[in-house]
Amino acid sequence: MGSLKYFSKEQVINKIKFENPWWKTSKIDEYYSSMKKRLYFDLFSPLVYEKKVKRAVVLMGPRRVGKTVMLFHLVQDLINNKVPPKNIVYLSIENPIYTGLSLEEMLIHFLEINNKDASEDYYIIFDEIQYLKNWEIHLKTLVDSYHKIKFIVSGSAAAALKLKSNESGAGRFTDFMLPPLTFHEYIDLKNLSHLIKLTSKEWKGVKGNYFQTDDIEEFNQHFLNYINFGGYPELSLSKEMQSDPGRYIRSDIIDKVLLRDLPSLYGIQDVQELNALFTTIAYNSGNEFTYEQLSINSGVAKNTIKKYIEYLEAAFLIRVINKIDQNAKKFKRATSFKIYLTNPSLRGALFAPIEKDDEFIGNMVETAIFSQWGHNTEFTPYYARWKNGEVDIVRLSNEKQKPIWAVEIKWSNRYVKSLNKLSNLKSFCKKNNLDRTLVTTLNIEEIKEDDGLMYDFTPSSLYCYTVGRNAVERKFNISMAITH
């Protein structure tokens, strides 16, 4: 047996130079510069420019939502803002060439290559940080030791990231979450914003932004494409990938997260079990589940299922929504709950893209709408379920935990003409003193009143767009208020 060989210092240095072409050209690779920035960029970049607070910025999010692209856009933004190109370094920790090196050793290589010492302002980017064992301890030490360097890291096995950045990075890390694309970002990315007009709706004396379109048929077609391909920036822009989304997403997202990231982070022995559970959930996204039923269907023990659901939620693959009863009371012990994919495109990639009259389209429209609410961190949505009734989404007030609004999601126009088919929604609203409710439709926009209750009928696609857009714009307004 010979001794183990690592890459030579020269090989490491050549790789670092190769990963940072802007040292010579002052420009990032055209592959990245030709891509449109995500709207989240303007929320993320101020954290990097913030110098008063000594913190590393941790960019988190599921795989394939554009974290690496955002980091390259950041490099170009720094250069455009007069940061010397050689003061910015990008390192992809996933690359085997860095195996066995600590973050500090990589930093020292970088300083050596450019004949620099640690007295200048630098921006050091570590991409896919989760591949380094105990990364958070390394990173905290760097933040404490190098006062003029801004460290930016990204990672997608977010469960571990969240967990670890909270424990050991207290006061040293600022977390930034990059979710899958909203429908609004998808429309922006595809340069389709001309389809949208801004209007406003008044609700209890408060005006809110609302959006309309002159061509609901075309808009609905884009909504369907969003459900099938739109959560992932690259997939939504590439016809080639759309012809075989399964190959692209399954290998890159499912295999890496389910078969590699989660097992290595949590010591999961039986990856087939985890895979079987996830497949069951993905196929039935938006349905109500119980631990018993999942256990029977997937053949996995109930306690193991509880743990797996936590892991899948922490990896941003699913979101569990809890229920309340007809009086908006939470259950002491929740035996059943709904589970949604955080990104509707995952289902199409695993099974097959969905058509507009598919029997499962209702669930996927709901999944898409819930994924927009995932961008709104101000409240937790619930669904209401009682002996013979259900309401899809309810928001409770923070103080009194009383319903503020209720929404019923339908991919159909038939309820506009038959309000009596909405009796569950009506009884829930009456019981909880709501005088107005929103019901989504296929393509009709109309307001109706019956028995003191106003029904606001709105196409699902426009509602989805509005929720996602308002969530991102609200975040932007909050961040502007904080930074100015």
Side-chain angles (χ1 to χ4, degrees):
M1 289 275 296
S3 63
L4 285 174
K5 286 192 169 54
Y6 280 109
F7 292 94
S8 69
K9 181 175 172 180
E10 190 187 2
Q11 285 171 305
V12 172
I13 283 175
N14 286 339
K15 179 66 185 168
I16 294 176
K17 286 179 177 169
F18 176 76
E19 284 201 295
N20 293 271
W22 50 88
W23 292 350
K24 283 191 172 152
T25 63
S26 299
K27 286 202 294 282
I28 58 172
D29 197 309
E30 204 202 329
Y31 174 74
Y32 294 109
S33 62
S34 65
M35 290 182 192
K36 207 165 169 175
K37 282 187 182 133
R38 272 199 65 174
L39 296 169
Y40 270 81
F41 183 83
D42 292 336
L43 287 166
F44 170 66
S45 58
L47 302 176
V48 174
Y49 286 102
E50 168 58 71
K51 277 293 175 65
K52 293 194 285 289
V53 189
K54 281 305 303 160
R55 288 182 160 201
V57 180
V58 181
L59 173 62
M60 298 187 300
R63 282 188 174 278
R64 284 297 181 208
V65 293
K67 294 186 298 297
T68 298
V69 176
M70 194 181 268
L71 292 173
F72 281 108
H73 285 158
L74 175 70
V75 169
Q76 192 61 60
D77 200 67
L78 288 163
I79 294 170
N80 296 349
N81 280 300
K82 306 283 184 282
V83 174
K86 284 192 169 180
N87 287 16
I88 308 163
V89 64
Y90 168 90
L91 300 156
S92 173
I93 306 293
E94 198 173 9
N95 197 298
I97 204 159
Y98 301 126
T99 307
L101 291 178
S102 70
L103 296 182
E104 187 157 30
E105 286 170 309
M106 292 183 217
L107 169 61
I108 288 162
H109 280 318
F110 154 67
L111 292 172
E112 207 174 290
I113 295 169
N114 290 328
N115 290 324
K116 292 181 179 285
D117 57 33
S119 64
E120 291 181 52
D121 287 348
Y122 299 109
Y123 293 86
I124 311 259
I125 299 168
F126 296 113
D127 199 4
E128 298 280 13
I129 190 98
Q130 76 271 6
Y131 290 107
L132 180 70
K133 211 174 160 58
N134 299 325
W135 64 269
E136 68 292 353
I137 298 163
H138 289 242
L139 186 59
K140 181 177 181 295
T141 309
L142 288 184
V143 173
D144 290 342
S145 313
Y146 294 92
H147 297 295
K148 298 203 82 169
I149 299 180
K150 189 76 178 189
F151 295 97
I152 301 106
V153 308
S154 86
S156 53
L161 285 166
K162 197 75 187 144
L163 181 95
K164 297 196 168 141
S165 64
N166 286 348
E167 281 170 15
S168 49
R172 295 293 182 280
F173 304 160
T174 300
D175 293 346
F176 184 88
M177 171 66 187
L178 187 64
L181 287 182
T182 57
F183 183 37
H184 153 231
E185 284 188 285
Y186 172 82
I187 292 291
D188 177 72
L189 210 59
K190 305 269 286 188
N191 297 319
L192 296 165
S193 300
H194 60 273
L195 290 171
I196 278 290
K197 296 187 309 200
L198 170 65
T199 61
S200 69
K201 277 192 178 177
E202 199 169 303
W203 189 281
K204 304 218 162 160
V206 179
K207 271 205 165 98
N209 280 352
Y210 185 72
F211 301 91
Q212 285 175 314
T213 179
D214 286 333
D215 189 345
I216 188 67
E217 295 316 315
E218 187 187 345
F219 199 68
N220 276 348
Q221 191 48 56
H222 292 303
F223 182 49
L224 196 64
N225 288 345
Y226 169 74
I227 288 176
N228 284 323
F229 311 113
Y232 302 107
E234 274 172 282
L235 184 59
S236 57
L237 294 171
S238 162
K239 279 279 174 270
E240 209 177 328
M241 285 177 182
Q242 287 176 19
S243 64
D244 188 5
R247 200 182 80 200
Y248 164 78
I249 292 182
R250 193 176 294 112
S251 67
D252 213 65
I253 293 166
I254 309 301
D255 295 354
K256 281 184 178 164
V257 176
L258 292 185
L259 306 181
R260 189 175 73 183
D261 295 351
L262 290 177
S264 70
L265 292 169
Y266 296 115
I268 296 169
Q269 302 301 312
D270 192 337
V271 288
Q272 286 336 102
E273 272 191 350
L274 181 64
N275 208 356
L277 176 70
F278 180 67
T279 308
T280 303
I281 291 172
Y283 190 75
N284 297 290
S285 175
N287 280 353
E288 194 172 47
F289 295 91
T290 65
Y291 292 124
E292 278 76 14
Q293 173 201 352
L294 280 170
S295 177
I296 292 163
N297 285 359
S298 60
V300 182
K302 242 168 53 176
N303 281 344
T304 311
I305 283 189
K306 279 188 180 161
K307 277 205 311 252
Y308 285 176
I309 286 178
E310 272 173 43
Y311 299 161
L312 291 168
E313 201 166 18
F316 305 127
L317 289 173
I318 63 171
R319 183 172 187 191
V320 175
I321 303 290
N322 290 310
K323 71 174 171 181
I324 52 177
D325 65 16
Q326 197 176 5
N327 302 309
K329 292 277 173 286
K330 296 176 191 170
F331 290 84
K332 292 263 187 297
R333 246 182 74 248
T335 48
S336 53
F337 38 85
K338 282 190 174 183
I339 306 181
Y340 290 93
L341 289 170
T342 51
N343 187 336
S345 324
L346 265 172
R347 187 182 190 274
L350 282 173
F351 306 105
I354 203 159
E355 301 294 328
K356 82 167 196 295
D357 38 19
D358 191 293
E359 60 162 337
F360 214 75
I361 183 72
N363 279 46
M364 292 324 292
V365 168
E366 229 175 278
T367 299
I369 287 170
F370 262 100
S371 76
Q372 314 303 298
W373 281 119
H375 291 249
N376 185 319
T377 42
E378 290 168 33
F379 79 99
T380 306
Y382 291 89
Y383 70 102
R385 168 73 59 96
W386 58 97
K387 193 169 175 196
N388 39 19
E390 180 184 346
V391 174
D392 291 331
I393 316 181
V394 178
R395 177 176 181 176
L396 300 179
S397 67
N398 293 338
E399 308 73 52
K400 296 189 170 159
Q401 296 290 298
K402 290 264 182 277
I404 304 177
W405 51 251
V407 171
E408 191 60 32
I409 296 170
K410 304 289 186 196
W411 181 248
S412 154
N413 292 332
R414 70 169 180 270
Y415 301 89
V416 182
K417 296 200 172 50
S418 348
L419 294 180
N420 58 334
K421 289 201 164 91
L422 296 167
S423 56
N424 289 335
L425 180 62
K426 179 179 171 179
S427 76
F428 182 83
C429 289
K430 291 281 186 196
K431 247 196 165 57
N432 294 289
N433 302 319
L434 296 175
D435 52 11
R436 184 167 182 169
T437 184
L438 189 138
V439 181
T440 71
T441 63
L442 179 62
N443 54 23
I444 290 180
E445 197 167 343
E446 204 175 301
I447 289 183
K448 284 196 155 182
E449 193 191 355
D450 174 55
D451 194 15
L453 183 61
M454 296 268 281
Y455 295 87
D456 188 343
F457 289 102
T458 296
S460 295
S461 53
L462 284 170
Y463 179 67
C464 187
Y465 180 90
T466 298
V467 171
R469 179 159 179 175
N470 285 346
V472 174
E473 288 181 354
R474 192 175 297 115
K475 280 184 181 170
F476 195 70
N477 293 338
I478 292 167
S479 102
M480 293 300 279
I482 292 167
T483 49
H484 287 84

